Amino acid sequence: MALEDSNGLAPPNQYTCMLDWFAVDLEEEHSAMDGRILEEHAEYVVYAIHRILDQYKESRDARSKEGAEVSGNFPRSVILVGHSMGGFVARAAVVHPHLRKSAVETVLTLSSPHQSPPVALQPSLGHFFSRVNREWKKGYEVQRTHTGRRVSGPTLSHVVVVSVSGGIRDYQVRSKLASLDGIVPSSHGFMIGSTGMRNVWLSMEHQSILWCNQLVVQISHTLLSMIDSETGQPYLSTQKRLAVFSKMLRSGIPQNFYWMRQVQLPQVTGHVSNKNEKNVPGSELQSFSRCPRSVHWAEDGLEKDLFIQGTTVTVLAMDGRRRWLDIGKMGSNGKDHFIFATNLAPCSGVRVHLWPEKHEISSDGEVPPSRRVIEVTMKMVHIPAGPAPRQIEPGSQTEQAPPSAVLRLDPKDMQGFRFLTISVAPRPSVSGRPPPAASMAVGQFYNPEEGKREFSLSSLLLSSYAQEEIFLKEDHPLALNATFSMSLGLLPVTLSVRTAGCGIKNSGLPIEQAGDVEHSSLCKLRCFPPVALAWDSTSGLHIIPNLYSETIVVDSFPAFWGSTRGSEKTTVLLMVDPHCSYKISASVSLTAAAGRFLLLYCSQIIGFLIAVIFFALMRQARAWELNQPLPSLLAAVEANLRMPLSFLLLAVVPLLVSLVISLLTTQPFPPFASFIIVSIICYSFANGSVIILILCSQFVFYVAATVQVFIKLRWQAWEERFRFLRQFLNLFSVFTSFKVVHILRGNPILLIALVMVSLVCFVHPALGLIVLVLFHALSCHSALCSFLAASFRSHVQRKESYEYQARDDLSRQSRHKSGEAFDQRLPLGKNNSNDNDADSTRSFGETQLEIFNYRHGILILHLLASLMFVPSLVAWLQRIGMGQSFPWFADSALSMGVILHGLCTQKPGIDAFSFSFPGIRGGEAGLSLIYLLAGYYCYLSALALAPYCSFYAMAAVGAISFISRVIERQNREKGDPYFSYSGRKHSHKH
C-alpha cells in the first residue's frame, strides 16, 4: 500500500512497499504452506515493484509535458517490509531473474522464516526455500570462472537485510527460523529479537508484531532515518544503512553474556586531554562520547564531595553531590569489577568519571581540559524499567524505584586510573507539581566468581517436587550469575526472589512469615526491585524487570543437529540489592516443559513417524523373507523397541551416523549428551503416536468388518425368504454385460491408477493420495472380512465335527450293546475330511490376515503422506476461482512414486532385487533392506528438520517396486515360477 500526496504521487524517496502476507491471503496461514502460491506471489511482487517505479517516471514525464516545474530525482529503489511469509517472498523477489538491477536494496522482515518453513511438509515448499537461499548465498560471493578468474563482484553486494523476530511468544515462527545465519553475511544484515530491541523490550506473538506500538514507532523512525537529507534518496552505502539499522534497533546490551565489553557507540571520542597526548590511561574507552555541553547542573548545597569507604555506594536522593571511590583500595581482594544500577538519567541525572588523581569539576559538570579524566557515562545502557512505585501523598517517601540503566566496568576499563566518581544532579523543582518518585543508584566493586550459581539438570527436573533454593546474605554481589545446565527454552523455570532481610532486624525468617508490616515496608524503601537479564545464543537478550516471581523462558533451540555448543545452556544475570538478603528458588513446570518440547521438536517428530512406519514394514518384509508368520503392524513396532539390539539398531545407529556426518562436513558438532537424549525422546514419542494411530485404525477396521460379516451371514439366512428381492436385484446385472464395465471389473487397479495419476498431475497431489488411502482401506477391509468369515466358518465346522463325534460315540455304544458290527471307516473318513477342510480354511484365514497386516502398514504410511499435503490442499481450496495452475512437477513426481509403492507392493517381498549374503544363515535380503535404508534416510531428514524429504524415500521405494514388478512379469511370461501368498515358502526354498 502506498502513501499518496495531493498530486496523486507517493511521497518521493520514502516509499515503502508493505508485504503483509495476512492482508494478501485473507489472513490464512495455510496459504503460506504451498510452494506454488509463494512463487506466484514473488512474481507479483516483482511486477508491483516495476509498476511502482515506472509510475514515478510516468508521472514525472506527464508533469514535465504540462509545463509544471519538476525538481529532484524520482526513486530508483523500493524498500520492502515483509511480515511472516511475506518476508521470505520479499527475499525471493530480490533474486527473481526478472527483477531490475538495484530495484531493491533494503529488506526488513518481521517474524519471517528464512532458514526453512515453520513445518516443512510439502516437497515443493522445501525445494523453493532451498533454491531461494542458495541464490542468496551465491549472491554474496564473488563470481569467478572455472579457472578462478574473477568475472564480477557479488550480485547482492548492495542489498541489506534485517530480520526482526517476535521472540518467545511467537509460536509460529521461532527465532532460529528467522535467523539469517548462513544466508546473509554479517556485513550485510543481522537478526534481532524484539525483546532486545531499543525502546521495545517486549516479546510478541505472530500477529501483534504488526500493531505493537513500541515496535511500529521504532521501525517507522528507522525507515525514515534511512533517507539521506542531502540527496533525498536512501543511503547508497550498505555500511551506512546497516549502521542506521544497528543504531536505531539495537540496544546498548550485546546479544551475549560478555556484555559491555564490546560495546561501541558511533559517537566521537569522549576523551578529554591535550592534543599532543598519547597513550593515556584508559585509551580503550575513547570510543565513548562525553555528555552534551547543553546539560548543566545548578549548584545546590555547600558540601559536594562524599568519600565512600566501603565497596558499595548507595544514592537514595538527588542531592547534587559527588561520590569518590578509591579503585585501588576497593578493588582489592579480587573485587576488581564495578557495576552500577540506577534509575537516574545518564548525563542529566548522573555522570560517571575515571580519574588518575583527585581534581575538581566545575559546577556545569565539565572537567578541566588539562586533566586526563575519562567520562564513561555514555557507556551506561538503558534497560526496561518496571512500573514506578506510586506515592501515597505528595512529598511522601515511596518504595525504591526500579533501575532503568546499568553500567559495568571491568579491570581493563579501569586500568591506569585511581578514582571513580559518581556525580548526582540536584533534585529538579517543578512548581505546582508533586516531586518526582524516589531516585536510586547502587554501585559496587565485586568479584564475579563470588556471584556464580549453577543449577544442574537433575536439580531442575526434581524442582517440581522439591524446589532448588539459594539464600543470599546481606552484602552479597549485586550481580548474580546463574547458569542453567539445560536451556530455559526447553525447561521454563519459575524464578522466585523473596526478601528475607535488609539489615534493620536480624531475623532469619522471611518477611511473610515474620508478619512484621513495618519491617516489610522499610525493606521496600531500601531495596530496589530485582532485575533479570537472560542471554540466549539464538534469540539474544531477554530482560525481566521487577522480578519477584516470573517464569523465565528463552526462545532457544537446544540439542538440534547442527546446533552449536553452549546452546543447551542459558545464562541469567540477576541484579539484586546488596543491602538486602534474599531467598531465591527455581522450579520447573513439567506441563510447560512438555508443551515447549512438542513446539520445538514437532518437525523432528513428524519425520520420525515416517521412519517408524518404514522400520515396521522392514520387520514384516524380513519375516516374509525368513518364511515366518507375518506380524501385525503393532507387533512390528513393539518388536523394534525391544532392548538392546533392535532399539540400538534403529534408534541409536542413525544418531551416530548423523554425528559422523557432522564431523565430515562443515556442520557444527551438536552437544553430544543433550542431542542423544532429546532425539531418543522424540523417537520414543513418535513410536507412541504411531501405536495410538494403529490401535485406533485397527478398532475401526475390526468394527466395520465385524458388522459386515454379521450382516452378510444374516442375509444368507434371510435370502431364501425374500427371493423376490433377489430377482429384483438381478435386473441390474444387465449393466455388467457392457464391455467397458467388464474391462473395469477385470482391471480395477488400472482404473484407480488412472484416477490417482490424473488428480496428482492436473489437480492437487493430496487428492490423488487420498484416493490411494481409500484404496488401501478397502483392501484392508476386504482382507479382514475374509479372515473373520473364514474364522467363523472354521469355528462352525469344529463345532459340527465335535457334535458329530459325540453322536457317533453314542451310536457306537448303543450298537455295541445290541451286538451290531462296528464300521470304523465311515466316521474316521468323515472326520478326516472335516479336518482337512478346517486346515484349508484356517490356512486361507491366516493368509488373509497377513494381507491385512501388510496392507495396514502401507495404509498408515500413505495416510501420513496425505496428511503432509493437507496444508497445501487447504491453500489450494481457498484459491478456487482465483486462477488455478498445475501442481509443481516435484510434488506430482514424488506423489506418483508414492502411488507406485501402493499399487506395486502387493506382497512384502521383491524377487527381482533379492540377494543373499554368503556364509550367513538366513542372509537373504530384499525389500526389508530397502525399507531399512528408507527408514534411515527419513530418520536423518527428521534430524535436519526436513520431514518433506521423506517423500524422496517413499518415491524411491515406489520406483524400485515398479521395476521389480515389471521384471517379475517378464519372468512369468518366460515361464519362470512366480509366487503368491500361498506359495511363498516354495518360492523361497526352490
Side-chain angles (χ1 to χ4, degrees), residues 421-435:
T421 60
I422 301 173
S423 303
V424 181
R427 177 183 296 272
S429 58
V430 182
S431 177
R433 296 182 181 180

Side-chain angles (χ1 to χ4, degrees), residues 533 542 737 802 902 904:
L533 291 83
H542 302 257
S737 61
Y802 176 78
C904 297

Side-chain angles (χ1 to χ4, degrees), residues 166-290:
I168 194 64
R169 296 185 184 275
D170 192 344
Y171 297 110
Q172 298 185 36
V173 179
R174 280 85 65 193
S175 297
K176 183 179 179 63
L177 300 179
S179 173
L180 298 173
D181 294 342
I183 302 175
V184 179
S186 58
S187 59
H188 288 75
F190 59 87
M191 190 269 290
I192 184 172
S194 60
T195 55
M197 186 183 296
R198 183 189 300 272
N199 298 330
V200 180
W201 306 110
L202 297 172
S203 175
M204 51 200 68
E205 56 96 18
H206 195 65
Q207 296 284 359
S208 62
I209 198 172
L210 291 171
W211 49 259
C212 176
N213 184 65
Q214 292 95 318
L215 187 136
V216 170
V217 170
Q218 196 67 22
I219 292 294
S220 301
H221 290 173
T222 302
L223 295 178
L224 294 176
S225 301
M226 300 292 297
I227 307 303
D228 189 350
S229 58
E230 297 181 356
T231 62
Q233 300 281 349
Y235 291 110
L236 289 176
S237 172
T238 57
Q239 297 303 317
K240 183 64 176 179
R241 279 179 281 144
L242 195 65
V244 171
F245 275 119
S246 180
K247 177 183 177 181
M248 297 296 295
L249 299 182
R250 283 180 170 173
S251 64
I253 303 179
Q255 303 297 306
N256 55 65
F257 180 70
Y258 300 100
W259 65 310
M260 303 278 186
R261 294 189 179 186
Q262 301 175 353
V263 180
Q264 293 183 357
L265 301 180
Q267 293 89 345
V268 298
T269 178
H271 178 64
V272 182
S273 63
N274 295 331
K275 293 183 179 180
N276 298 328
E277 184 178 16
K278 298 180 179 179
N279 298 328
V280 298
S283 60
E284 63 276 1
L285 299 176
Q286 295 182 10
S287 61
F288 298 94
S289 66
R290 66 180 185 177

Side-chain angles (χ1 to χ4, degrees), residues 105-130:
E105 295 182 340
T106 305
V107 179
L108 177 66
T109 65
L110 305 174
S111 292
S112 298
H114 295 296
Q115 298 291 335
S116 64
V119 182
L121 300 179
Q122 186 190 21
S124 62
L125 182 61
H127 175 72
F128 185 60
F129 262 80
S130 301

Side-chain angles (χ1 to χ4, degrees), residues 496 654 766 887:
S496 177

Side-chain angles (χ1 to χ4, degrees), residues 578-854:
H579 302 96
C580 308
S581 59
Y582 296 92
K583 183 170 287 187
I584 303 174
S585 61
S587 61
V588 174
S589 173
L590 296 182
T591 56
R596 287 291 304 170
F597 185 88
L598 294 179
L599 177 66
L600 292 178
Y601 302 99
C602 61
S603 295
Q604 192 166 311
I605 293 174
I606 292 174
F608 283 157
L609 291 175
I610 308 295
V612 169
I613 299 299
F614 269 126
F615 291 152
L617 293 176
M618 178 271 298
R619 177 73 64 174
Q620 291 181 333
R622 189 57 182 163
W624 173 277
E625 294 163 358
L626 296 178
N627 293 324
Q628 296 177 356
L630 198 72
S632 65
L633 187 63
L634 181 62
V637 173
E638 293 177 347
N640 290 334
L641 292 175
R642 292 174 184 172
M643 296 292 289
L645 185 59
S646 297
F647 188 81
L648 292 178
L649 177 64
L650 302 179
V652 180
V653 171
L655 294 177
L656 300 180
V657 172
S658 66
L659 295 177
V660 172
I661 295 176
S662 299
L663 292 176
L664 298 178
T665 60
T666 58
Q667 192 172 13
F669 193 82
F672 181 80
S674 59
F675 172 70
I676 295 293
I677 293 174
V678 171
S679 299
I680 290 179
I681 292 176
C682 291
Y683 179 76
S684 303
F685 187 86
N687 277 271
S689 302
V690 168
I691 289 175
I692 294 175
L693 180 60
I694 292 173
L695 291 175
C696 294
S697 60
Q698 277 187 347
F699 176 77
V700 173
F701 278 121
Y702 271 92
V703 169
T706 302
V707 171
Q708 179 174 343
V709 171
F710 175 79
I711 294 176
K712 186 175 182 179
L713 294 176
R714 290 296 182 182
W715 174 254
Q716 292 176 354
W718 295 340
E719 191 175 10
E720 296 297 331
R721 302 180 184 179
F722 302 96
R723 294 184 178 180
F724 68 92
L725 183 60
R726 182 178 180 182
Q727 296 175 356
F728 176 76
L729 294 176
N730 290 336
L731 296 177
F732 294 95
S733 62
V734 66
F735 295 102
T736 61
S737 61
F738 292 113
K739 186 175 182 180
V740 176
V741 177
H742 182 71
I743 294 175
L744 293 179
R745 289 186 62 184
N747 300 277
I749 296 181
L750 178 61
L751 174 62
I752 295 174
L754 291 176
V755 172
M756 289 186 292
V757 170
S758 300
L759 292 175
V760 163
C761 295
F762 303 107
V763 185
H764 195 277
L767 299 179
L769 294 180
I770 290 174
V771 174
L772 178 64
V773 171
L774 295 178
F775 170 72
H776 290 326
L778 182 61
S779 300
C780 291
H781 178 73
S782 177
L784 191 59
C785 289
S786 299
F787 165 71
L788 294 179
S791 299
F792 178 79
R793 287 194 298 267
S794 176
H795 175 72
V796 171
Q797 289 176 356
R798 290 195 194 98
K799 184 177 180 181
E800 292 177 353
S801 176
Y802 176 78
E803 293 177 353
Y804 179 83
Q805 184 69 34
R807 289 196 303 268
D808 184 66
D809 291 342
L810 292 176
S811 175
R812 282 185 298 174
Q813 292 177 3
S814 61
R815 285 196 298 268
H816 178 72
K817 291 180 180 180
S818 61
E820 296 180 356
F822 177 62
D823 186 0
Q824 299 180 358
R825 291 176 295 176
L826 181 59
L828 286 178
K830 290 184 178 180
N831 190 25
N832 291 337
S833 176
N834 288 336
D835 288 343
N836 292 334
D837 292 341
D839 292 339
S840 61
T841 303
R842 188 161 52 248
S843 176
F844 173 77
E846 291 176 353
T847 302
Q848 294 300 313
L849 182 59
E850 287 187 345
I851 295 176
F852 169 77
N853 291 335
Y854 180 66

